[in-house]
Amino acid sequence: SSNIKESCGKWSDEETAPVPRFAYSILAVIMAIFCLSSVVLNTTVIWVTIRHRQLRQPINYALVNLAVADLGVTVSGGLLTAITNSMGYFSLGRAGCVIEGFSVAFFGIVALCTVAVIAVDRFVIVCKPLGIVHFHPKHAVMGVAFAWIWSLIWNIPPLFGWGSYQLEGVKTSCAPDWKNPDPLNMSYIMCYFCLCFAIPFIIIMFSYLTLLWTLRKVSGAGIAHGGTTAKAEAKVARMVIVMILAFLICWLPYAAFSLAVVFNSQFYIHPLVATVPMYLAKTSTVYNPIIYIFMNTQFRDFAVSFLLCGRNPWAMQRQDSEVDTPMITVNKNSKQVAISCI
């Protein structure tokens, strides 16, 4: 067993601290649970969208695309990581590492960019910075296509020598090589970080914070009646806070750890500890459908009914005053306010 492990991992010459065998087993179980949850949730989103025509609206294209990307991360990376953890080593060799590293990074950045696209969609529809914009299918398709093309552009270079994919953490999964101090590799990593994490993060923060500011401004002006705006504001605020916190919890630790390694190639952290931010990033495949899909009443009704064989406890409890992902649309010219569901 040790000879097989050594021969399969000989292309990675980095020395790491030994990891107890039971730790691999625990990691395998954790990843298997998240993978199973991700497959069930994201497959449900895709299936109910196919079955129900009313869900196939342009505003939902990005939500379904997020489910597809998360499912891609789970199938190409999560399930494989669960298997390699159960074995205690990465058994697929150099070629397998490159394929896995590329696939996970590719689908992961598609998901990340899709979250940014969703934020921009809501910002444009609610705040109307470009005036009244009718959200047509072509706009939705452009946003989805951008996420895939952008991710492909920045994940292909390591396949041709600008950057590379290497084992990470406890050496049972692969990712872009953050530790190589070679200037060529460093230039790729910095571009990758700025263009595939920092910019989407700034877009997400700007879009949702501006949306909240717009809602607060309208609420303060007292334009709406009967406290409707205040209730909508509270719901939107909770939704936005959950979205931002989930994004930070999933991605910030991984980004911070990666940057620490980039700026100090001698930076050392125990493999088990280093695995935590990597797994947090992969758990976004479970959080995303819950936050973006199942907090949407329309999707939730169909998805819960599908999962519970036709029963939906939420449908019985929902009151007429509930607003699904409430948003306020502001007509700047007439100063009219409309509360809509996105």
Side-chain angles (χ1 to χ4, degrees):
S1 173
S2 59
N3 291 334
I4 296 176
K5 180 176 179 179
E6 181 180 356
S7 62
C8 290
K10 64 183 180 181
W11 44 269
S12 178
D13 57 0
E14 182 183 354
E15 296 293 333
T16 59
V19 177
R21 186 64 185 86
F22 74 89
Y24 284 109
S25 299
I26 294 175
L27 291 175
V29 171
I30 293 174
M31 185 53 65
I33 292 173
F34 275 104
C35 286
L36 178 61
S37 302
S38 175
V39 169
V40 171
L41 293 175
N42 289 295
T43 301
T44 297
V45 171
I46 297 170
W47 178 244
V48 297
T49 303
I50 294 174
R51 288 190 59 185
H52 300 283
R53 184 176 180 180
Q54 53 266 54
L55 293 179
R56 298 196 293 271
Q57 302 298 320
I59 194 63
N60 291 333
Y61 287 8
L63 296 177
V64 178
N65 188 65
L66 181 60
V68 173
D70 283 339
L71 194 59
V73 172
T74 301
V75 173
S76 64
L79 292 176
L80 182 60
T81 301
I83 294 172
T84 54
N85 275 328
S86 66
M87 298 174 65
Y89 63 96
F90 192 85
S91 60
L92 302 179
R94 178 60 186 159
C97 180
V98 172
I99 294 173
E100 193 236 1
F102 169 80
S103 300
V104 174
F106 174 64
F107 286 114
I109 297 303
V110 169
L112 190 56
C113 289
T114 302
V115 171
V117 168
I118 293 172
V120 172
D121 288 348
R122 292 177 174 179
F123 166 71
V124 171
I125 292 174
V126 174
C127 302
K128 295 187 179 296
L130 304 176
I132 298 177
V133 176
H134 298 286
F135 199 73
H136 295 295
K138 66 178 181 180
H139 299 132
V141 171
M142 286 173 59
V144 169
F146 171 80
W148 290 91
I149 294 172
W150 190 254
S151 179
L152 185 63
I153 289 174
W154 292 104
N155 283 294
I156 278 185
L159 302 180
F160 296 94
W162 188 29
S164 63
Y165 295 107
Q166 296 290 345
L167 292 172
E168 62 177 355
V170 293
K171 308 303 180 186
T172 54
S173 62
C174 296
D177 186 7
W178 305 98
K179 291 188 176 184
N180 188 346
D182 179 75
L184 187 63
N185 182 74
M186 290 281 287
S187 65
Y188 168 74
I189 291 299
M190 292 307 299
C191 288
Y192 192 79
F193 175 84
C194 293
L195 298 174
C196 294
F197 176 80
I199 290 181
F201 172 69
I202 292 172
I203 291 174
I204 292 168
M205 293 293 291
F206 173 81
S207 298
Y208 283 131
L209 292 179
T210 304
L211 188 152
L212 277 180
W213 178 81
T214 301
L215 191 55
R216 169 67 72 175
K217 185 177 179 180
V218 172
S219 177
I223 298 175
H225 300 284
T228 304
T229 305
K231 293 179 181 179
E233 180 187 8
K235 287 181 177 292
V236 174
R238 287 197 297 268
M239 188 74 163
V240 169
I241 290 173
V242 170
M243 290 175 178
I244 293 177
L245 285 179
F247 180 88
L248 292 176
I249 291 173
C250 291
W251 290 102
L252 189 59
Y254 186 70
F257 172 74
S258 300
L259 273 188
V261 173
V262 168
F263 288 113
N264 181 10
S265 60
Q266 302 303 316
F267 177 77
Y268 176 79
I269 187 170
H270 193 279
L272 282 175
V273 178
T275 300
V276 173
M278 301 166 195
Y279 278 40
L280 283 176
K282 290 180 179 179
T283 58
S284 64
T285 61
V286 176
Y287 301 146
N288 283 338
I290 293 175
I291 295 172
Y292 290 94
I293 310 294
F294 284 82
M295 289 181 73
N296 179 305
T297 304
Q298 189 181 34
F299 264 104
R300 187 178 66 210
D301 285 346
F302 288 114
V304 172
S305 296
F306 171 74
L307 292 172
L308 299 183
C309 301
R311 292 176 295 174
N312 186 0
W314 282 275
M316 301 298 295
Q317 299 174 3
R318 189 165 60 249
Q319 302 297 321
D320 293 338
S321 58
E322 181 181 358
V323 180
D324 171 40
T325 315
M327 299 295 182
I328 287 195
T329 301
V330 182
N331 188 322
K332 296 181 180 178
N333 295 326
S334 61
K335 295 186 178 178
Q336 293 179 341
V337 177
I339 299 177
S340 60
C341 301
I342 297 178

